Amino acid sequence: MDYIKAFIIGGLICVVVQILMEKTKLMPGRIMVILVCTGAVLGAVGLYEPFMEFAGAGASVPLTGFGNVLWKGVKEAVDEKGAIGLFTGGFKASAVGISAALIFGYIASLLCDPKMKK
């Protein structure tokens, strides 16, 4: 049942993004920023953690989950180190995910032959 919930919730997030792409003039980069900021704001008001417990990977994997990770990292670093945590917390909390994206993206670029669209 956990897999089904994760699939449905993750799919619903993707549906919302697809609707935004199709029905608005927002560029994909702006939609990505909206998702990250939404995750951070929902984390700040305490709504994302219960949502993530319910949805599992369906809520933790999309960009909203990344925003929540950034928020938690900043919050913990500010509690620990004070104001300097505003600048270090998000990087420390998301370093593994960012590093994995860079490494796997580089490996994919070596294995594939990307072509630019005309």
Side-chain angles (χ1 to χ4, degrees):
M1 192 64 179
D2 290 338
Y3 295 122
I4 294 171
K5 280 196 296 189
F7 178 77
I8 291 171
I9 299 298
L12 288 174
I13 292 171
C14 292
V15 165
V16 169
V17 170
Q18 191 65 40
I19 290 170
L20 284 173
M21 290 176 72
E22 301 277 332
K23 300 295 182 185
T24 68
K25 294 185 180 198
L26 291 172
M27 300 299 288
R30 291 183 185 209
I31 294 172
M32 289 172 38
V33 169
I34 289 170
L35 289 171
V36 171
C37 291
T38 300
V41 169
L42 289 175
V45 296
L47 295 176
Y48 205 81
E49 204 62 40
F51 175 59
M52 203 163 53
E53 286 178 20
F54 170 75
S60 64
V61 173
L63 284 172
T64 52
F66 180 68
N68 185 51
V69 166
L70 288 174
W71 161 251
K72 285 196 304 189
V74 168
K75 183 177 180 252
E76 289 173 10
V78 167
D79 290 344
E80 240 178 64
K81 301 176 185 175
I84 196 73
L86 287 171
F87 304 105
T88 62
F91 291 118
K92 186 175 180 183
S94 62
V96 172
I98 293 171
S99 297
L102 290 171
I103 290 168
F104 290 124
Y106 181 71
I107 290 171
S109 73
L110 293 175
L111 298 176
C112 300
D113 187 24
K115 304 273 191 283
M116 293 295 289
K117 291 183 179 180
K118 293 182 181 186

